[in-house]
Amino acid sequence: MIILSIDPSSNIMKKSTTGIVLLDNTKLIDSFVVPYGATNFINWWKETGQHLNFDIAVVEKFIVRYGDSGRDNTVVQTVDAIKQCIPSVVEQSNVGYQSDIPDSILKKCNLWKFQKTHHQDLRAASRLALFYAMRQDIREVVDEIGDRVYE
């Protein structure tokens, strides 16, 4: 299964980036680091993203938390832009994804080392893709994770 997985950025923090990976089950096909915000994602989509072939697109579901003045809730604007570009994108919560897809699995799948990004966005997008596949019991991905862990 070809999975396009997206870790969205802030819409105001200029150092923030959107991390995007394209996986064939657990194998990296390509990765992209898009500068912060909705506008930059839309531009990337028009130039590059719309030409990619994938079976499913997944984006981290962002939960707005009110009352925390230090929290950047503008990520929701980037997610909205992603949903406009990819209407079929699935929003997947990342609650529990680090325990279900520990660092050791990412390392075994060669999804650990990427170019430097803000908050390891490519690693996060990879973890989200595998987490989604496990939660949805996508057998070909789950089996390949098992094969990688026990090889």
Side-chain angles (χ1 to χ4, degrees):
M1 171 166 286
I2 308 297
I3 303 172
L4 181 70
S5 184
I6 306 165
D7 181 57
S9 69
S10 165
N11 200 42
I12 58 169
M13 301 297 293
K14 292 182 180 179
K15 290 184 178 181
S16 182
T17 57
T18 294
I20 303 165
V21 295
L22 186 65
L23 303 180
D24 180 358
N25 293 335
T26 65
K27 296 174 191 78
L28 181 67
I29 297 171
D30 210 342
S31 63
F32 309 90
V33 178
V34 178
Y36 81 101
T39 300
N40 286 319
F41 181 84
I42 291 167
N43 291 338
W44 173 84
W45 180 255
K46 288 177 182 175
E47 294 170 12
T48 304
Q50 69 179 345
H51 305 293
L52 299 174
N53 293 315
F54 53 89
D55 299 312
I56 186 88
V58 182
V59 65
E60 179 184 327
K61 181 176 185 174
F62 185 79
I63 299 166
V64 174
R65 291 187 178 89
Y66 298 100
D68 183 353
S69 61
R71 182 159 170 92
D72 177 5
N73 284 320
T74 66
V75 175
V76 75
Q77 295 166 352
T78 305
V79 172
D80 286 344
I82 293 166
K83 289 164 55 176
Q84 287 173 15
C85 292
I86 314 169
S88 63
V89 70
V90 175
E91 288 186 87
Q92 173 66 53
S93 169
N94 69 356
V95 174
Y97 88 148
Q98 196 145 14
S99 59
D100 285 12
I101 307 295
D103 296 349
S104 59
I105 288 178
L106 291 179
K107 289 174 182 176
K108 289 279 190 175
C109 294
N110 296 315
L111 297 171
W112 184 254
K113 292 186 179 182
F114 292 96
Q115 64 190 14
K116 187 79 171 153
T117 63
H118 185 261
H119 296 302
Q120 297 294 337
D121 299 311
L122 296 174
R123 191 180 292 166
S126 298
R127 192 183 310 267
L128 184 71
L130 300 183
F131 181 67
Y132 171 80
M134 287 184 70
R135 288 288 169 109
Q136 298 304 312
D137 198 27
I138 300 171
R139 184 64 28 210
E140 63 191 278
V141 180
V142 173
D143 288 348
E144 194 168 295
I145 291 169
D147 291 346
R148 296 283 193 115
V149 168
Y150 293 110
E151 60 184 19

